[in-house]
Amino acid sequence: MTRDDDIAHAAEVLRQGGLVAFPTETVYGLGADACSDVAVAKVFAAKGRPQFNPLIAHVSDLAAAEALGQFPPAARKLAEAFWPGPLTIVVERTPTCPVSRLASAGLSSLALRVPSHPVALALLKAFGGPVVAPSANASGRISPTTAAHVRASLGTGVDMILDGGPSRVGVESTVISFLDGTPRLLRPGGLSRDKIEACLGQPLSAATAGPLHAPGQLESHYAPRASLRLNADAPKPGEIYLGFGGHAHGPHTLSARADLIEAAANLFSKLHEIDAGASAIAVAPIPETGLGEAINDRLRRAAAPRG
């Protein structure tokens, strides 16, 4: 278990410009001082991440977020309803925002989130500033939901790992943009569309073409080493099957009772487990309702052609 002195040491590592992997309720993040160009550059280097792909700045509460970004009333309403939690909000920076422009790929926008994991919140409060924290894994690969996944993917590329147990939600945060006055879904995630739309009292618009304002929008992402075939009713010869509900062929399933919350929590850990010994994976059909939208988004990107 993570202790108070571990949190204090991790905060000092961040102050010295180092990298700290830490648990959130979604996935493990690779944290760095968001206001340091050098520290943010280390994140891109450690992950092998293209610098046109922005990062999310994690803060301890809404007040800290509003010091960095300009929140229109609808964005503030979402933050008040769902923070801390698996929601990222993209807004324009404040004129005095100190977050490195590298974190926003040079754009005037900023992606902000308040995580709900107690270890993440303790670290943010101990550090006292914004922390960029993309998933703590090699860029484009399966996201980590345990400290062991981080060690296997990044090894000595991270200065310290805080172990807070398995991530509860298991898929990244939902990303909503308010840059043009219209709430737009940039990435489905751990907070379902229907809950957001109910809070706003209006449907979410689709993302528009143009620069990336948030992570998780690249066509190929979250990819295992094995090939991936989706919406498979049964495995073909040589494939290992990842089931769901009534589709069960073998020992691996996202949720035997067809529970989408359980499936989201298991998604990346199951892909890690199967990928260790498979050259081909077949995945059962997943409904597009609720968290199924986020699960299918991750699976489609994981199965996309790789550059």
Side-chain angles (χ1 to χ4, degrees):
M1 292 296 294
T2 300
R3 302 165 301 180
D4 289 346
D5 54 349
D6 293 327
I7 297 291
H9 178 53
E12 185 58 31
V13 171
L14 292 175
R15 291 188 195 100
Q16 297 298 321
L19 303 182
V20 175
F22 63 93
T24 78
E25 74 279 19
T26 58
V27 300
Y28 273 65
L30 181 62
D33 180 355
C35 299
S36 166
D37 291 336
V38 172
V40 173
K42 286 182 181 178
V43 171
F44 284 98
K47 284 178 60 67
R49 182 185 181 97
Q51 291 190 2
F52 61 78
N53 194 8
L55 306 176
I56 295 169
H58 294 66
V59 292
S60 59
D61 54 33
L62 175 55
E66 289 189 308
L68 304 175
Q70 302 178 57
F71 281 65
R76 186 176 297 108
K77 185 177 183 180
L78 280 189
E80 289 172 346
F82 298 116
W83 278 356
L87 171 69
T88 293
I89 297 175
V90 181
V91 292
E92 292 289 344
R93 290 165 170 257
T94 60
T96 57
C97 178
V99 172
S100 169
R101 288 277 180 170
L102 182 58
S104 300
L107 302 173
S108 63
S109 58
L110 185 63
L112 290 157
R113 181 164 104 82
V114 179
S116 67
H117 196 290
V119 173
L121 285 174
L123 176 61
L124 289 167
K125 290 172 182 174
F127 178 63
V131 173
V132 293
S135 57
N137 60 294
S139 183
R141 293 299 180 183
I142 306 170
S143 297
T145 55
T146 67
H149 293 161
V150 178
R151 293 188 193 96
S153 186
L154 295 180
T156 58
V158 58
D159 297 303
M160 183 177 181
I161 301 174
L162 291 173
D163 189 345
S167 296
R168 173 179 57 82
V169 175
V171 292
E172 291 82 355
S173 60
T174 303
V175 181
I176 307 295
S177 167
F178 288 89
L179 294 178
D180 62 358
T182 300
R184 297 185 182 277
L185 178 64
L186 301 190
R187 177 180 76 182
L191 182 64
S192 63
R193 175 196 292 265
D194 57 346
K195 291 182 179 178
I196 295 170
E197 292 179 339
C199 179
L200 292 174
Q202 68 180 100
L204 292 170
S205 297
T208 56
L212 300 181
H213 290 279
Q217 295 179 271
L218 296 177
E219 181 182 2
S220 178
H221 206 42
Y222 317 107
R225 292 175 177 81
S227 63
L228 205 64
R229 186 170 65 89
L230 308 184
N231 298 309
D233 292 322
K236 294 179 179 178
E239 292 180 332
I240 292 181
Y241 194 70
L242 181 55
F244 177 80
H247 289 87
H249 300 273
H252 304 288
T253 183
L254 292 173
S255 174
R257 62 179 189 267
D259 183 326
L260 289 170
I261 295 175
E262 180 183 33
N266 286 335
L267 176 62
F268 290 135
S269 62
K270 284 295 182 182
L271 286 176
H272 275 288
E273 180 184 340
I274 297 172
D275 196 39
S279 59
I281 304 171
V283 184
I286 309 294
E288 282 281 356
T289 57
L291 288 183
E293 183 177 18
I295 296 169
N296 281 306
D297 172 79
R298 303 306 187 274
L299 287 171
R300 282 190 289 267
R301 295 179 194 277
R306 303 165 196 180

